[in-house]
Amino acid sequence: MTDAYIFDAVRTPRGKGRKDGSLHEVTSARLSAVTLNALKVRNGLDGHAVEDVIWGNATQVMEQGGCLARTAVLASDLDERIPGLSINRFCASGMEAVNLAANQVRGGAGEAYIAGGVEMMGRVPMGSDGAAIAVDPSIAMETHFVPQGISADIIATKFGISRDDADAFAVESQKRAKAAWDDGRFANSVITVRDVNGLPILEHDEYMRPGTDMQALGALKPSFKDQGEVMPGFDKIALMKYPELERINHIHHAGNSSGIVDGAAGVLVASKAWGEARGLKPRARIKATAKIGTDPTIMLTGPVPATEHVLKAAGMDIGDIDLFEVNEAFSSVVLRFMQAFDVDHGKVNVNGGAIAMGHPLGASGAIIIGTLLDEMERSDRATGLATLCVASGMGAATVLERV
């Protein structure tokens, strides 16, 4: 089996996912093309240089429908002979694209791929695709469906995570993100988005709120309390599934949950021989990948079993991992991960995460892989693990090894 390596990883800055966000006038295909073009230029990808572009996005309707991957290739400067494959594993779509590319290379189905994803949450709203698990009563009732915010609060209740715990984690995410930007830690990967005249539209993650403190977060009302307790009363559905809980403790709000943003990210995955033929040096080996299904009601606990699964595949223990990137969908997700594995926060999301910088659903998996790789190089660490929770009860994970 051929080893798969990461040769490059780039991302756009994350713009606020609303009408006044800096990226709002940029379409999903165009932002994807910006990312693909950056990888082409940085790595000299002339001609039919890669086997395929595998591109993830979670809400596959309107401009993000119709095999967006192929549209992005045609909108970019890549050779038109390169096809495109759109995939959807919700929040893990970008990671699954990278993992699928790696496993294609490992299995001999092509020597090189571009993989990643995009989400323009300000242009194509989350949930606008009308997912059956949420809108089909026969399925929703069977699965005890509740919205993700309720799921995050169930995790907090079930595993003893307090509002103060969640808020403190969020404050630290903001501090770390600011420190990382101030120190230039994202300079190698973040590409400037420009308009048709070549003028910069966005050069910096704009969702960040570095002045956030415990007092400011303490003043925010729980975002999902009414949804759970009043109408439509999702807490009752959750308590039917988990009768051991007396009530759901609603601790999450906009300040300790991931931000709604626009963004794209791409990763160049290939064999070592492909890189050698082009004078390119690999940055890391993709040592193992994993995906798993989990309880669809609590929904967001997937990083724990996905990590167990990927470590087994890699022949490693949790202590063998130097750095972790755990997507900050909600504070409780990462706090539960650290609790389950007794991992020190000093090894987890050391440059902040989606609470501070935002979570563009289809891109986040590729973003955290790139962030992990950059930090492994910056801090001279050998191994890293990236993982995400996924809607409907799934998890995904990737283990990297520097070369």
Side-chain angles (χ1 to χ4, degrees):
M1 186 173 287
T2 302
D3 283 335
Y5 295 85
I6 294 176
F7 283 81
D8 200 6
V10 299
R11 72 169 177 92
T12 69
R14 285 169 270 195
K16 295 176 183 177
R18 57 193 193 211
K19 290 183 178 180
D20 64 347
S22 295
L23 296 179
H24 185 70
E25 298 305 316
V26 184
T27 67
S28 305
R30 289 298 176 189
L31 197 68
S32 299
V34 167
T35 309
L36 298 178
N37 286 341
L39 289 170
K40 172 184 167 65
V41 171
R42 285 163 59 121
N43 299 281
L45 302 181
D46 295 325
H48 197 172
V50 299
E51 187 76 17
D52 203 354
V53 170
I54 306 176
W55 213 242
N57 62 288
T59 309
Q60 297 189 341
V61 294
M62 298 182 288
E63 69 181 53
Q64 291 185 171
C67 192
L68 175 59
R70 176 57 176 166
T71 306
V73 170
L74 295 175
S76 77
D77 297 328
L78 291 177
D79 193 296
E80 66 178 13
R81 291 173 293 174
I82 298 170
L85 171 65
S86 288
I87 66 167
N88 185 356
R89 202 185 291 280
F90 298 126
C91 302
S93 296
M95 175 176 285
E96 189 60 37
V98 174
N99 290 353
L100 179 57
N103 290 326
Q104 292 280 83
V105 171
R106 293 169 73 188
E111 286 197 275
Y113 288 76
I114 293 176
V118 67
E119 207 78 34
M120 300 301 290
M121 300 180 74
R123 295 177 61 89
V124 185
M126 180 171 54
S128 58
D129 52 348
I133 194 169
V135 302
D136 185 333
S138 65
I139 299 174
M141 291 176 67
E142 286 181 4
T143 59
H144 292 84
F145 170 81
V146 299
Q148 286 190 25
I150 303 291
S151 298
D153 288 338
I154 295 171
I155 292 173
T157 305
K158 189 174 178 66
F159 296 103
I161 296 167
S162 70
R163 167 75 180 255
D164 281 350
D165 294 335
D167 286 357
F169 180 85
V171 169
E172 184 62 19
S173 180
Q174 296 283 354
K175 289 180 178 178
R176 292 183 179 192
K178 182 180 186 303
W181 269 105
D182 289 349
D183 196 36
R185 297 181 191 179
F186 301 131
N188 183 56
S189 298
V190 175
I191 54 178
T192 299
V193 180
R194 300 179 183 275
D195 65 16
V196 293
N197 297 311
L199 299 175
I201 297 174
L202 188 62
E203 300 175 291
H204 190 284
D205 291 325
E206 70 174 345
Y207 183 80
M208 292 165 54
R209 294 155 291 176
T212 299
D213 57 25
M214 290 292 286
Q215 290 71 30
L217 295 187
L220 298 177
K221 293 181 179 180
S223 295
F224 311 104
K225 184 178 176 68
D226 288 347
Q227 198 178 41
E229 296 179 357
V230 186
M231 288 295 292
F234 284 110
D235 284 7
K236 292 180 180 179
I237 297 172
L239 293 173
M240 289 173 61
K241 181 75 173 283
Y242 312 109
E244 71 274 14
L245 303 179
E246 292 184 6
R247 57 184 294 274
I248 306 302
N249 184 21
H250 293 286
I251 69 164
H252 288 95
H253 49 73
N256 58 27
S257 306
S258 57
I260 293 175
V261 297
D262 302 326
V267 180
L268 177 59
V269 179
S271 68
K272 184 178 285 187
W274 178 92
E276 288 174 347
R278 290 161 176 79
L280 299 174
K281 183 179 179 181
R283 297 172 61 190
R285 180 167 72 101
I286 299 178
K287 188 174 177 68
T289 69
K291 62 270 189 184
I292 198 162
T294 63
D295 179 342
T297 306
I298 201 168
M299 194 185 306
L300 307 174
T301 54
V304 174
T307 293
E308 294 170 342
H309 194 37
V310 80
L311 288 174
K312 183 177 180 181
M316 302 172 76
D317 296 319
I318 198 73
D320 296 325
I321 303 297
D322 297 324
L323 288 171
F324 298 87
E325 283 289 324
V326 184
N327 191 46
E328 295 177 0
F330 300 89
S331 285
S332 64
V333 172
V334 189
L335 290 169
R336 171 56 191 155
F337 178 89
M338 293 191 294
Q339 180 189 77
F341 293 109
D342 193 25
V343 174
D344 188 277
H345 194 185
K347 292 184 175 182
V348 180
N349 300 359
V350 298
N351 295 311
I355 288 174
M357 292 174 283
H359 175 19
L361 306 178
S364 289
I367 287 174
I368 66 171
I369 286 174
T371 299
L372 177 63
L373 178 54
D374 283 345
E375 181 59 26
M376 288 168 63
E377 291 174 340
R378 187 192 73 84
S379 58
D380 194 23
R381 305 297 177 90
T383 58
L385 186 152
T387 183
L388 302 93
C389 61
V390 186
S392 302
M394 294 184 282
T398 307
V399 171
L400 303 184
E401 179 183 70
R402 278 182 64 205
V403 294

